[in-house]
Amino acid sequence: MFKKGKTHQQKNLFGPYYGYSEAMKKRLENSWASSFFEHIFLAIREERFAVLYSEKYSRPNVPVQTMVSLLILKELNQLTDEALIDAFYIDYRFDHALGIENIDSERICINTLTHFRKRLLTYEVQTGRDLLGEEIAFLSEHLAESIQLDRSFGRMDSMLISSNCKKMSRIELIYTVNRNMVRAMNTLDGIDIPETYQAYLKPSHQKEMLYRLHMDETQTRTDFLLEQSLALYHLMKSSDQGKETEAFTHLARLIEEQTVETEEGTRIPLRGNELPSGNLNNPSDPDATFRKKGNTTSVGYTLNFLEIRDRDKNVGLLLHYDVKANCYIDQAFGEDFVTHHPLMESLHTLVCDGAYDRVETLKKAKEKQVEFHVTNMTGGTCIKQQIPVDHFVMDQ
């Protein structure tokens, strides 16, 4: 059952706050906690999260203000869930930031955080709406308006975000997709698993297929597993209930990405250097892709973000972010933002690194009367015997 939290700042006259020493009260009021309570905690729109809870009379939820604030404080302070719960119960600043007057009456544990995240994720999967992301965007806008942020100057950059999924080798990926398909078949009515594939249901089969082979057997085993993938696909594509499973979706994608159709109509495996960059890397996180950026390799996503910097107030806020598969390049992020984002109406100057440089982006920025500046040029490390391009001086 949904229950609203605090809507005011008035403290209980008989609460523990008035038992603190004057020095301690002064420290609390001058700390980040007071500003957080006033500008973040009280600004959270709890009613939007009511859809996560039952309308029936039942045990009320922990206030959404508290849950959202805890998730924000966790990231701001780079805390684990365990450390966050410790800070909640021990750190006076956290209590002050969350408007808690009597910590003994509060009951929050790690499972409370887990269940709230699960509700958010379930709702996003069902509706496509990220309630927490929308609220963070609203709070950023609320802060910008509170301090009357000058939005004429922006800085854009990107970073790789690693997925929590395991980085799989090619042979392990193919095996896992096949095994998941066989396991799904085992749960469906009216489908008999051929004897050839029943071994996938045995716990010891994975070791036999993946770890007990010599280096020179890897390619042969990979080709064999792909042949089984093709056979499983042809076996299941005529089954309506089989095609509706997530395992079949991953299997179909695997075949599309890992094989190529010949002129005769048969499919043969691609070599490792022929695989597309956006191919499936782990069925537990099918959207995560592989990318090498500089000397860093990552399986996951790319986060692109824009900081609006008020140089007179010496303060900046992130007012835009976008998450894509990590094979999405900075040039595309830059063009998307310059073309479509409403912040372009207030910007006068946009600064990015050289990876965002694209002729179309420069043209569109000029059309909107925004100065688009790129900094360092992109490229690999210069060979010692060669003259680097940045040593040349351009007259025009």
Side-chain angles (χ1 to χ4, degrees), residues 128-147:
R129 289 186 60 195
D130 178 7
L131 289 178
L132 184 60
E134 292 174 3
E135 196 63 22
I136 297 298
F138 166 79
L139 292 172
S140 297
E141 188 64 31
H142 170 74
L143 287 175
E145 293 177 359
S146 298
I147 64 175

Side-chain angles (χ1 to χ4, degrees), residues 57 67 117 143 196 371:
Y57 183 79
M67 299 307 303
R117 291 194 194 100
L143 287 175
T196 312
E371 294 183 12

Side-chain angles (χ1 to χ4, degrees), residues 141 151 306 308 319-320 337 341-347:
E141 188 64 31
R151 307 182 188 216
L306 177 83
I308 297 296
L319 295 187
H320 164 73
F337 177 83
H341 205 280
L343 275 173
M344 285 294 294
E345 297 177 4
S346 58
L347 280 173

